[in-house]
Amino acid sequence: MKKLCVTLVLFFSVTLCISHTSAQYEPSMQIGVPDGAIARFSRGVIRKIDYSPDGSQVAVTTSIGVWLHDAQTGKELDLKNRYSNSNALFSPDHKRYVTYMNPITWVQLWNSRNSKLIKTLTGHKEKINTVKFSLDSNTIATASDDKTIRLWDAQTGEYLKTLTGHTEAVFTVKFSPNGETIASGSADKTIRLWNMHTGKLIKTFTEAQTPIEFSPDGKVLLGRSSNPHQLQMLNAMTGELIKTLHWNNLVCSAAFSADSNIIAAGDYDGTIRLWDATTGQTIKTFKAHTDTVVDVVFSPDGKTLATAGRDDTMRWWDIHTAENIKTFSEYLGGRSHMKYSPDGKTIAIIRDDKVWLRDATTGKHLITLKGHTEYIWDVAFSESGDTIATGSADKTARLWNAHTGESIRTLTGHTDTVYTPVFSPDGNKLMTRCNDNALRLWDINTGKNIITYQREKQSVNFTFSPDSRTLAIATEAGDVSLWNTSTGEKIRTFVRHSQYVHPPLFSSNGNTMVTHSKDRSVRLWNVHTGENINTLNIMGTVNSVLHTPDGELIAITSYKETVSMWNVETEQLLKEFEGHKKRGFDVLRRFSLGKKQKRRFGAPPEHIRKAKYSPNGKSVATVKNNNTVQMWDISTGKRIGKLIKPPKDDPSDEITVTDIVYTPDGNTFATVQLGNLGGKVRLWETSTGKHLKTLKGYTYCGNSLKFSPDSKTIATGHWDGTVLIWDIPQR
């Protein structure tokens, strides 16, 4: 989990089969879903937990909102304030809550009953680091990088006063139980006590640097010292050091019991330690989580301890026996990275060093793949769906039985993190890409390493032939080589391109291979003889090359707004057309069927960034300048429908279309877009370009989406760890 800050590329590679009705999903999967969504997997990234004053409910702050659970049964009750990528905090009386995002200089105060905005709290000059309510729910304190603490009326949101004195950014604030004192911690390595009513500085402590919590009786302030293995107990009035609590591990969260007699702390290894607050003696130590303990909190009666971990779980513990009373494992600790089985019945979701397998129809947890000792980077299904491959930061790839979860074998020999395992089309071979600059080809049945291709720090792309017998490897230097996947022998190396080569493409019969490079050329090769059949010099830099579904035609897009259609076997240029109007001219290119023969009319073209074929291969959709989409009839080269331009939700929003994805039946396609307000997915009717629906999750979706085989639903994966299921409007 500690490596989840590394940006992951989110994508779906296989199909999903989910019914278009929501009745089959468990009620908990439908609580608080965004408008239009029918189900949700996971509850987001867990950040903080709180008990309600009467102890009947537990509020869990996550990346998608605040979940309310029944403290006795653990049952989900509600999801408050569905919001995008922000922090949320309830007032102790649960009548109001605040939300704020990092890095933002303002806070929003909301009414919990109707979720209406009360006021936006503005005034800080730099980003806000933390927000706290006083225990009587009447005051809000905000701490900022601008070296100040601001106080606000929690009923109305009106500004009250500013506390100044710290010489560096203020990171934390704590209210004393009686509401008379505020403790603040700063980068200036001091804790300062303030009179809340007058705003005057009472005392400056240097024994500890960060205030963690006041004891409920208000006599002790627990702080974190410069030594990360220690907690300091300070006299809350004088600042005198009472006791130092030592620990071998790094302390990351701590709390007092309601009677002030016990201190609980969690560390980076997932261990919980309990101390007697009077004597400082250790009462009990136990393993609570498999990763960092994010938060700990006692129940009001002091009998139960609730803990939240970066192992994606929230757990309840009996204080006296250290017995795990109940566990919730629906909180994902990071961006959701998923794959779907070829039959669409199973979803594989990465969870740190494990993989969840879930029923795609009901969301029911089926199996957990356990064995890796470090974070899993990617997961892949074989074409048959019987085998799963995983690549991990523990320098291994593993093969699993997709039905039982049994570990089949571990592939060793990598010297660094293993990325992106890829099965050959027949499912008998596996290619792994490693951070040690090597590609490795493996025999699935024996675990034998067939090929090790050392990249020498070059970017390398590879492609299997349709029959899986041949592997094509293209390098940044321009080399393209063919390898026998059974013997590991190199078959031949082709004449080099002069620059970086993108992943090669094979024709459907495997006789022809297409390579395209940054040198602005597209080359067709005879796979069996190595002969360069044809070299297509494209006007402008080649952006992408793609096959029609039957594999017989290729479309070439360039940054000069051209889309060229070629027959792979005859090497004939069929037609070439341009995207849109420019300077009042309707730019259209006309062609003969001869090789490289073409005429060009119209004004200078603009850039086409991406092109996608429809499933039936009769039309192609092109993205111009990453903000508009045009559909074309392949047989005539004419436009289908009007130019599609995703609307802005705000005048300042800048739209960037990053992908186009068709439904299997080809009647609908989705545009994935980025903008100032976060990523969205929009659904469009293919025949007319009519906008059908906008899908907006809790946070950014990226390119993480997949349609069901029946074209009735769509699944989107989000950076907050959630997966949302949506109905597609039927026409």
Side-chain angles (χ1 to χ4, degrees):
M1 287 304 296
K2 300 170 185 173
K3 297 186 178 179
L4 278 176
C5 57
V6 178
T7 301
L8 301 177
V9 179
L10 303 175
F11 63 96
F12 295 124
S13 63
V14 285
T15 56
L16 170 67
C17 180
I18 299 177
S19 170
H20 65 285
T21 64
S22 60
Q24 64 217 317
Y25 294 105
E26 297 177 10
S28 63
M29 295 180 180
Q30 296 173 306
I31 294 176
V33 294
D35 294 340
I38 59 177
R40 178 209 65 257
F41 300 154
S42 99
R43 302 188 183 96
V45 183
I46 191 169
R47 290 174 175 164
K48 183 174 174 53
I49 48 180
D50 289 295
Y51 272 93
S52 61
D54 62 3
S56 63
Q57 295 181 5
V58 174
V60 185
T61 302
T62 73
S63 57
I64 66 172
V66 179
W67 284 94
L68 297 182
H69 292 264
D70 185 293
Q72 301 302 315
T73 66
K75 180 181 178 181
E76 304 93 337
L77 302 176
D78 198 5
L79 174 61
K80 294 287 187 181
N81 184 36
R82 303 195 312 266
Y83 59 93
S84 174
N85 196 31
S86 62
N87 297 288
L89 179 69
F90 268 86
S91 61
D93 61 10
H94 278 213
K95 293 181 180 180
R96 289 164 303 284
Y97 61 89
V98 292
T99 59
Y100 61 103
M101 299 196 314
N102 290 322
I104 293 294
T105 61
W106 43 265
V107 174
Q108 291 186 311
L109 177 64
W110 304 81
N111 184 307
S112 298
R113 183 179 58 81
N114 54 25
S115 291
K116 287 186 176 181
L117 179 65
I118 298 173
K119 195 174 182 65
T120 298
L121 316 183
T122 61
H124 281 293
K125 297 179 180 179
E126 297 184 47
K127 75 179 182 73
I128 293 172
N129 295 310
T130 191
V131 181
K132 290 293 180 182
F133 279 95
S134 60
L135 294 186
D136 61 8
S137 301
N138 291 327
T139 308
I140 297 172
T142 57
S144 168
D145 271 3
D146 64 13
K147 308 174 187 178
T148 69
I149 301 106
R150 283 181 171 250
L151 303 183
W152 315 80
D153 187 299
Q155 311 291 329
T156 64
E158 294 298 321
Y159 166 74
L160 298 176
K161 60 177 64 70
T162 300
L163 313 182
T164 60
H166 281 293
T167 59
E168 298 290 343
V170 184
F171 295 128
T172 59
V173 287
K174 298 290 180 178
F175 283 93
S176 63
N178 61 10
E180 299 293 324
T181 307
I182 295 174
S184 60
S186 165
D188 63 15
K189 300 182 179 180
T190 67
I191 291 178
R192 299 181 185 234
L193 294 184
W194 312 82
N195 183 299
M196 194 195 75
H197 303 292
T198 66
K200 291 184 178 181
L201 178 64
I202 301 172
K203 188 79 176 178
T204 299
F205 300 161
T206 57
E207 289 290 345
Q209 299 177 3
T210 305
I212 296 177
E213 199 65 72
F214 280 96
S215 61
D217 60 15
K219 296 179 180 180
V220 178
L221 177 64
L222 190 64
R224 182 179 286 110
S225 73
S226 57
N227 185 335
H229 300 279
Q230 295 178 351
L231 292 175
Q232 305 283 10
M233 296 177 62
L234 305 172
N235 185 302
M237 295 305 296
T238 67
E240 178 187 356
L241 177 63
I242 302 173
K243 286 185 179 63
T244 298
L245 307 179
H246 298 274
W247 203 349
N248 294 329
N249 297 331
L250 302 178
V251 180
C252 54
S253 57
F256 278 95
S257 61
D259 59 9
S260 302
N261 292 330
I262 301 175
I263 296 172
D267 73 0
Y268 278 92
D269 291 333
T271 302
I272 297 292
R273 177 168 288 192
L274 304 179
W275 286 278
D276 185 304
T278 303
T279 65
Q281 297 298 310
T282 299
I283 300 173
K284 196 180 274 36
T285 300
F286 57 94
K287 188 73 171 179
H289 296 271
T290 58
D291 207 326
T292 301
V293 180
V294 177
D295 199 16
V296 294
V297 60
F298 284 90
S299 61
D301 62 11
K303 296 180 180 179
T304 306
L305 182 72
T307 63
R310 286 185 181 169
D311 59 2
D312 316 333
T313 66
M314 180 177 66
R315 302 172 188 257
W316 279 270
W317 306 88
D318 184 291
I319 292 299
H320 303 293
T321 65
E323 177 188 0
N324 183 202
I325 302 171
K326 47 185 169 284
T327 299
F328 280 98
S329 55
E330 292 292 324
Y331 293 99
L332 288 181
R335 299 164 183 172
S336 58
H337 192 37
M338 301 159 292
K339 293 291 176 65
Y340 292 83
S341 60
D343 62 7
K345 295 181 180 179
T346 307
I347 304 173
I349 305 176
I350 292 176
R351 299 182 61 243
D352 195 15
D353 58 356
K354 305 176 186 65
V355 176
W356 272 353
L357 297 184
R358 286 184 170 276
D359 187 293
T361 303
T362 65
K364 180 182 178 182
H365 178 259
L366 303 174
I367 299 169
T368 299
L369 308 183
K370 302 178 181 179
H372 283 293
T373 58
E374 296 287 344
Y375 177 71
I376 296 172
W377 278 89
D378 205 355
V379 59
F381 281 89
S382 63
E383 190 62 31
S384 66
D386 296 326
T387 308
I388 294 174
T390 53
S392 169
D394 65 9
K395 305 178 183 179
T396 69
R398 285 179 178 253
L399 299 173
W400 313 80
N401 184 305
H403 307 292
T404 66
E406 177 186 2
S407 178
I408 300 173
R409 61 178 45 88
T410 301
L411 307 179
T412 59
H414 307 88
T415 60
D416 209 327
T417 299
V418 181
Y419 302 101
T420 320
V422 177
F423 283 97
S424 60
D426 63 7
N428 292 322
K429 305 292 190 299
L430 183 77
M431 178 67 86
T432 58
R433 187 189 298 268
C434 181
N435 202 37
D436 62 7
N437 298 315
L439 295 176
R440 290 177 171 85
L441 182 69
W442 307 84
D443 186 297
I444 294 299
N445 302 306
T446 65
K448 178 184 177 182
N449 182 197
I450 304 171
I451 298 173
T452 297
Y453 186 92
Q454 197 66 37
R455 296 181 288 165
E456 298 180 354
K457 298 184 179 180
Q458 295 183 27
S459 178
V460 178
N461 294 302
F462 64 90
T463 307
F464 286 101
S465 63
D467 61 8
S468 301
R469 296 178 180 177
T470 307
L471 178 71
I473 299 178
T475 73
E476 185 177 5
D479 291 316
V480 181
S481 55
L482 295 183
W483 300 75
N484 185 307
T485 58
S486 297
T487 65
E489 295 178 354
K490 182 190 288 188
I491 301 172
R492 66 178 51 86
T493 297
F494 296 104
V495 177
R496 289 174 52 169
H497 284 275
S498 60
Q499 295 185 40
Y500 173 89
V501 181
H502 297 275
L505 295 174
F506 285 92
S507 60
S508 57
N509 59 16
N511 294 328
T512 306
M513 183 178 69
V514 181
T515 61
H516 75 288
S517 165
K518 286 186 177 181
D519 63 13
R520 299 188 179 185
S521 69
V522 177
R523 302 189 184 194
L524 279 67
W525 308 87
N526 184 306
V527 171
H528 305 293
T529 66
E531 177 190 1
N532 182 198
I533 302 170
N534 200 356
T535 297
L536 316 177
N537 293 309
I538 307 301
M539 190 71 176
T541 302
V542 175
N543 185 35
S544 64
V545 176
L546 61 155
H547 272 301
T548 50
D550 60 12
E552 302 308 319
L553 302 178
I554 60 172
I556 302 170
T557 68
S558 79
Y559 286 145
K560 291 295 185 180
E561 206 191 24
T562 64
V563 179
S564 311
M565 304 296 302
W566 298 80
N567 185 298
V568 175
E569 297 302 321
T570 65
E571 304 95 51
Q572 287 184 323
L573 173 65
L574 303 180
K575 62 174 59 67
E576 190 174 22
F577 45 88
E578 295 205 14
H580 309 277
K581 292 183 179 181
K582 169 93 172 162
R583 297 180 186 173
F585 293 91
D586 188 2
V587 183
L588 179 66
R589 297 186 178 183
R590 309 176 187 280
F591 314 89
S592 70
L593 296 180
K595 293 182 182 180
K596 305 182 193 175
Q597 296 176 352
K598 49 185 176 288
R599 293 184 292 125
R600 186 176 297 107
F601 301 91
E606 293 183 357
H607 295 172
I608 286 183
R609 306 287 183 176
K610 187 181 290 289
K612 284 289 183 74
Y613 279 109
S614 62
N616 60 14
K618 295 181 179 180
S619 64
V620 64
T622 60
V623 178
K624 171 192 170 185
N625 287 344
N626 279 9
N627 56 27
T628 58
V629 178
Q630 180 67 62
M631 292 175 293
W632 303 86
D633 186 296
I634 289 178
S635 61
T636 65
K638 293 183 178 180
R639 294 180 178 84
I640 300 174
K642 297 180 179 179
L643 183 69
I644 297 172
K645 188 170 185 177
K648 295 182 179 182
D649 295 312
D650 182 89
S652 64
D653 202 16
E654 296 180 1
I655 301 300
T656 300
V657 177
T658 61
D659 204 2
I660 306 169
V661 183
Y662 281 94
T663 53
D665 63 14
N667 294 329
T668 306
F669 70 89
T671 56
V672 184
Q673 64 191 70
L674 299 176
N676 294 345
L677 302 180
K680 301 178 184 65
V681 175
R682 283 187 166 91
L683 303 180
W684 310 83
E685 188 173 61
T686 303
S687 60
T688 64
K690 178 183 177 182
H691 177 233
L692 302 175
K693 192 173 186 178
T694 298
L695 315 179
K696 184 179 180 182
Y698 309 103
T699 58
Y700 169 53
C701 172
N703 288 6
S704 195
L705 61 91
K706 193 67 182 180
F707 287 103
S708 60
D710 62 8
S711 300
K712 293 182 179 180
T713 58
I714 182 174
T716 58
H718 300 265
W719 283 26
D720 51 36
T722 62
V723 181
L724 295 171
I725 310 300
W726 314 75
D727 270 325
I728 297 173
Q730 301 301 304
R731 300 171 298 286

